[in-house]
Amino acid sequence: AILMSIFTRVNMDINIASRYYKYREDEDLAFIAHCTHEQLAPLVSYLTIDRDGKPRLAETLTNNPEFKANKHDFSRAWQAICTELQTYGNSTALNIVTRKGAAYKDIVQFTAKSVGCAIDKQSDVQTLEQAIVAKVLELQMDKMTQAEREAFIKTMKNDYQVNNIDPLKWTVRDFSVISGVLAGAFGGAAAAGAMLLPRALLFSSPLGLVGGLFSAVVEGPALRVTLPCVIHITMLREFHRHGNPFN
C-alpha cells in the first residue's frame, strides 16, 4: 500500500509538471516543423504506446492542450510532440525544476551509448545518428545466420539498390534507404501506412519482425522510447534533406 501510494504520488507529480513543460528551442529538431501529420504519426505512437499496445504510464502528450487541439493534424502540434521526447532526456526532478526537457543531442548521445556506439561528444547530431543506424544494423545482422545475411544483402541490392552494407562505403542514398528500412522494422504498419516507406516493408521487412529487432538492441524503459524515435527522426531528416529514396 505504501509503495502504491508513492507510485501514485510520483505519477501525480509527473502529470502536474507536464502542464508547465515548454518546448526547448533546438536547431536539431527545427526541421520537424515541416513534417506532415503522416510523418509524425509513428513518433506519437512511440511516445504514447508501449510494445504491448498499451498506453505508456508516464506519457503526458495526450493530455497536452496543444496536442489535444490538433490530434487530427500532428503537424500543428509538432512542438508538443518534440517536448514529450525532450522529457526523456532528463530526470523527472530536473524537468520539474527547469520546466524543459533535454536537448535532442543529449538524447541522441544517450541512445548512442546505450546501443554500444563509441562516441565523441564533440560529434554533431547527424554523425551520431549515422553511428546509431550503423550499430543497430550491425547488431541485427549479428543475430542472423549466414544464409539470412546473404539473403538480406541480396534483397538490399536487388530491391533497394544498396550495394554496400559497410557503413564506411555508404552513399547518401544508401544511408537514407537503410535508415528507412530500420524505421520500417521498428514502426511496421505505422511507418508503411504513413506512405513513408514501400508497403512491401510492412509485409516483408528485410530485417524481419519488429520483436526481433527490439530484442536485439533494446534494454531499459527510456531506450524503448528514444531508440525508435531517434531512428525515425534520422529517417525524416534524410528525407527532408535529400528526398524520399523510395519514391
Side-chain angles (χ1 to χ4, degrees), residues 20 67 76 87 123 140 156 180 211:
Y20 303 100
F67 180 82
R76 297 173 64 88
T87 63
S123 297
Q140 183 65 7
M156 294 302 294

Side-chain angles (χ1 to χ4, degrees), residues 185-229:
F186 275 115
M195 295 182 292
L196 302 174
L197 306 171
R199 291 201 65 81
L201 284 179
L202 173 58
F203 302 105
S204 181
S205 169
L207 285 175
L209 298 176
V210 62
L213 188 59
F214 263 105
S215 63
V217 297
V218 178
E219 295 181 4
L223 190 61
R224 293 191 189 107
V225 176
T226 66
L227 180 58
C229 284

Side-chain angles (χ1 to χ4, degrees), residues 1-239:
I2 294 175
L3 287 176
M4 181 59 70
S5 176
I6 293 173
F7 179 77
T8 301
R9 178 66 186 184
V10 168
N11 274 317
M12 287 175 62
D13 289 344
I14 292 173
N15 289 329
I16 290 170
S18 71
R19 299 174 190 172
Y20 303 100
Y21 288 166
K22 297 178 181 179
Y23 172 66
R24 177 188 288 274
E25 293 294 334
D26 193 327
E27 63 180 9
D28 292 315
L29 292 176
F31 82 97
I32 298 290
H34 304 289
C35 292
T36 66
H37 173 88
E38 290 78 16
Q39 290 174 329
L40 295 176
L43 277 183
V44 172
S45 178
Y46 298 142
L47 291 166
T48 61
I49 301 172
D50 66 20
R51 282 188 296 170
D52 299 322
K54 299 177 181 178
R56 294 192 182 279
L57 292 177
E59 71 90 5
T60 61
L61 180 60
T62 53
N63 288 321
N64 183 300
E66 179 186 346
F67 180 82
K68 290 171 71 174
N70 296 288
K71 61 183 179 181
H72 299 300
D73 185 1
F74 295 155
S75 67
R76 297 173 64 88
W78 72 272
Q79 287 192 345
I81 295 167
C82 289
T83 299
E84 183 77 4
L85 174 60
Q86 289 172 339
T87 63
Y88 280 89
N90 282 340
S91 67
T92 299
L94 186 56
N95 286 338
I96 291 173
V97 171
T98 64
R99 297 187 180 181
K100 292 182 180 180
Y104 179 66
K105 184 174 182 178
D106 293 335
I107 294 170
V108 175
Q109 287 178 337
F110 160 78
T111 304
K113 288 189 287 187
S114 297
V115 299
C117 295
I119 66 168
D120 179 349
K121 288 190 176 182
Q122 302 305 314
S123 297
D124 61 26
V125 160
Q126 291 173 38
T127 300
L128 294 169
E129 287 175 336
Q130 183 163 349
I132 291 168
V133 168
K135 187 64 176 181
V136 171
L137 181 63
E138 174 194 326
L139 291 170
Q140 183 65 7
M141 291 190 70
D142 284 348
K143 289 184 59 186
M144 298 178 184
T145 64
Q146 182 63 30
E148 288 171 336
R149 280 194 292 272
E150 290 174 358
F152 171 73
I153 292 171
K154 182 177 179 180
T155 297
M156 294 302 294
K157 181 176 181 179
N158 294 342
D159 295 355
Y160 302 103
Q161 293 76 55
V162 173
N163 295 315
N164 292 300
I165 299 302
D166 181 354
L168 295 178
K169 298 179 181 179
W170 283 348
T171 65
V172 168
R173 185 185 179 280
D174 289 342
F175 180 57
S176 292
V177 170
I178 290 169
S179 63
V181 167
L182 288 180
F186 275 115
M195 295 182 292
L196 302 174
L197 306 171
R199 291 201 65 81
L201 284 179
L202 173 58
F203 302 105
S204 181
S205 169
L207 285 175
L209 298 176
V210 62
L213 188 59
F214 263 105
S215 63
V217 297
V218 178
E219 295 181 4
L223 190 61
R224 293 191 189 107
V225 176
T226 66
L227 180 58
C229 284
V230 167
I231 293 289
H232 190 78
I233 289 171
T234 299
M235 177 191 70
L236 292 180
R237 190 188 311 281
E238 290 304 299
F239 289 6

